[in-house]
Amino acid sequence: MTSPAELRAAEWYRALLRNAVHGWLVLEPQQWRVVEYSERAAELLQLTPEEVQHTALPEFRRVYRLLQREPASAIRTELHLSLPNGGTVTLEVRARLFAHEQQHYLWVALLEETDAQLITERLVLTDKLALLGQLLAGIVHEIRNPLSAIQLNLQLLQQALPENSPERTAAELALTGARRIGELVDSTLSFARSSGQCICRQDVHELLEQAIQLLQTLFYRKNIQLHRDYAPELPPIYADARQLQQALVNLLTNAAEAIPEHGTVRLRTELDTAETPPMVVITIEDNGVGIAAEDLERIFEPFFTRKPNGTGLGLPIARRIIAQHRGRLLIQSTPGLGTRCIVRLPVAGREDAAGDSCADARG
Ligand code: ADP
Ligand code: MG
């Protein structure tokens, strides 16, 4: 006999399961009928709850067979399901077997495409990045010493060879290549390095001018006009000058590289007092080639580049540095018209002054 209390409990659990936020089904592996389901599953199958109960889903046979070989495992796969209304849906499913009163059932979770795709993509990316980080840190370290030796010896060789000889040109080319590897190694290291900052009050305009100074030849070579529209009185920010300069250099380099020849880079600074703390806003705008919409989603991925000699590290590094300064980096772009990078950094507060730490703690 089932007591009223037990009945109520059974109803409660059934209601819970039916109303689960996830789509799930239980199938019996003879007729492939749905024996239990959540309402979300019905929605995903584009069926009413009544229809679900009378639906057979023989497409799960393949999953079942796979699971029979390894009963303890769970399988994740994509399935094309034919629906009673003649339509089809493609869903990513996760399934496992379970036994109850000597009967096997298939327990199926329907993963919504967006969830499933987004989550796996992000997980795969995070996993990959973590792994890459470890690998790189190791490799980069191992590369540095032999690379210094290569550079030094190539330099000696180059100097020993007669000027204008093909051998000297070859040595020069090799040296250029070695220097490029060195740059790559350094930028990778600075990306991997996250701590040991040297933080002081900084004038944003000074930081910008120093960054521009570093890039003068690039701007000159490309005939790029610089327009400055600086706010007359901008409060200082609290920053690691070297790091923030690096972020600005990366953004300015991209702006210059986006301009085929003859173009304009506009620099604007302003204070946004709508936020607490107020934000210094730096806008770097170029009228270069712009970024395609599908690329815009990927530009912050390490190693994403559209340039034959690009590293794909400029923007991820810039973003990371700005985030470490409690700031934000936003990039807007219209293909063919140009790109705007907006850097927002909090104004130095009184409490920051106490923590000035200009002793260089870098490792
Ligand atoms: P890299 O410059 O080495 O390619 P970045 O991380 O600096 O790496 O930039 C990634 C990609 O983003 C570039 O290859 C380019 O396609 C795009 N990009 C970044 N900034 C701009 C810009 N100002 N204009 C056009 N494209 C840009
Ligand atoms: Mg770049």
Side-chain angles (χ1 to χ4, degrees):
M1 273 293 287
T2 319
S3 72
E6 280 169 330
L7 271 176
R8 273 208 303 282
E11 269 171 35
W12 164 243
Y13 287 117
R14 172 171 277 223
L16 272 187
L17 291 171
R18 279 276 156 88
N19 290 291
V21 281
H22 299 107
W24 62 269
L25 301 166
V26 175
L27 296 166
E28 49 77 20
Q30 276 96 41
Q31 311 297 317
W32 300 103
R33 295 209 173 275
V34 175
V35 293
E36 277 298 346
Y37 62 94
S38 69
E39 285 173 14
R40 181 67 192 136
E43 271 173 45
L44 287 170
L45 295 170
Q46 299 159 26
L47 299 169
T48 65
E50 292 68 42
E51 284 171 326
V52 174
Q53 297 173 52
H54 300 106
T55 298
L57 296 168
E59 292 91 344
F60 279 95
R61 189 173 287 127
R62 177 170 67 89
V63 176
Y64 182 67
R65 289 220 187 97
L66 285 170
L67 281 170
Q68 272 183 317
R69 274 186 238 150
E70 266 185 273
S73 66
I75 279 183
R76 183 168 185 160
T77 183
E78 199 178 67
L79 275 185
H80 305 282
L81 303 174
S82 317
L83 302 176
N85 63 11
T88 58
V89 283
T90 304
L91 286 170
E92 183 143 2
V93 303
R94 202 179 153 90
R96 71 182 308 150
L97 285 183
F98 77 97
H100 183 70
E101 297 182 344
Q102 280 151 37
Q103 160 79 39
H104 269 111
Y105 296 94
L106 197 61
W107 214 113
V108 180
L110 306 177
L111 306 176
E112 296 174 42
E113 207 184 350
T114 43
D115 288 6
Q117 256 170 15
L118 273 179
I119 293 169
T120 30
E121 274 169 21
R122 286 206 189 127
L123 279 180
V124 167
L125 187 66
T126 320
D127 260 14
K128 261 206 257 180
L129 290 183
L131 191 66
L132 264 177
Q134 289 169 6
L135 286 175
L136 275 178
I139 293 174
V140 156
H141 199 77
E142 293 301 315
I143 288 177
R144 260 196 160 176
N145 291 337
L147 190 65
S148 307
I150 291 175
Q151 270 176 310
L152 188 73
N153 286 302
L154 277 174
Q155 236 158 10
L156 292 176
L157 196 64
Q158 180 205 22
Q159 283 156 12
L161 289 166
E163 250 176 274
N164 299 323
S165 68
E167 288 81 6
R168 185 162 173 141
T169 312
E172 269 160 17
L173 278 176
L175 196 57
T176 311
R179 284 211 187 97
R180 176 144 176 73
I181 297 174
E183 281 164 23
L184 210 76
V185 165
D186 284 344
S187 53
T188 311
L189 258 188
S190 89
F191 184 57
R193 195 191 280 141
S194 59
S195 57
Q197 291 184 332
C198 158
I199 301 176
C200 306
R201 270 164 197 270
Q202 305 287 348
D203 179 69
V204 172
H205 296 149
E206 249 172 57
L207 290 176
L208 268 169
E209 289 305 315
Q210 284 159 3
I212 292 165
Q213 190 68 35
L214 288 170
L215 296 172
Q216 251 186 351
T217 40
L218 179 64
F219 281 102
Y220 179 76
R221 210 173 58 224
K222 292 212 144 189
N223 278 310
I224 292 168
Q225 296 278 324
L226 269 178
H227 280 268
R228 294 173 177 85
D229 182 7
Y230 288 171
E233 271 171 32
L234 210 54
I237 58 164
Y238 201 59
D240 177 327
R242 217 170 84 182
Q243 290 219 9
L244 207 57
Q245 224 176 62
Q246 155 108 63
L248 294 172
V249 164
N250 292 1
L251 299 178
L252 287 164
T253 309
N254 283 346
E257 286 172 347
I259 292 170
E261 58 179 322
H262 294 287
T264 312
V265 173
R266 286 173 195 280
L267 301 168
R268 194 167 57 243
T269 59
E270 60 204 311
L271 185 68
D272 180 0
T273 49
E275 276 188 68
T276 333
M279 291 283 191
V280 168
V281 186
I282 306 168
T283 310
I284 301 173
E285 204 176 312
D286 66 68
N287 61 355
V289 292
I291 306 172
E294 66 266 27
D295 286 356
L296 207 51
E297 293 166 16
R298 305 191 52 201
I299 52 174
F300 290 112
E301 278 175 29
F303 309 112
F304 175 80
T305 181
R306 288 283 180 215
K307 296 169 194 168
N309 291 316
T311 60
L313 288 170
L315 287 182
I317 291 176
R319 178 150 89 166
R320 175 151 170 181
I321 292 172
I322 292 163
Q324 282 172 347
H325 286 82
R326 290 176 291 150
R328 293 196 295 280
L329 169 62
L330 183 77
I331 296 199
Q332 305 168 332
S333 188
T334 314
L337 282 183
T339 303
R340 183 185 294 147
C341 305
I342 303 166
V343 182
R344 303 175 67 88
L345 292 161
V347 165
R350 238 182 250 144
E351 69 281 8
D352 290 334
D356 262 13
S357 66
C358 267
D360 198 335
R362 253 176 283 250

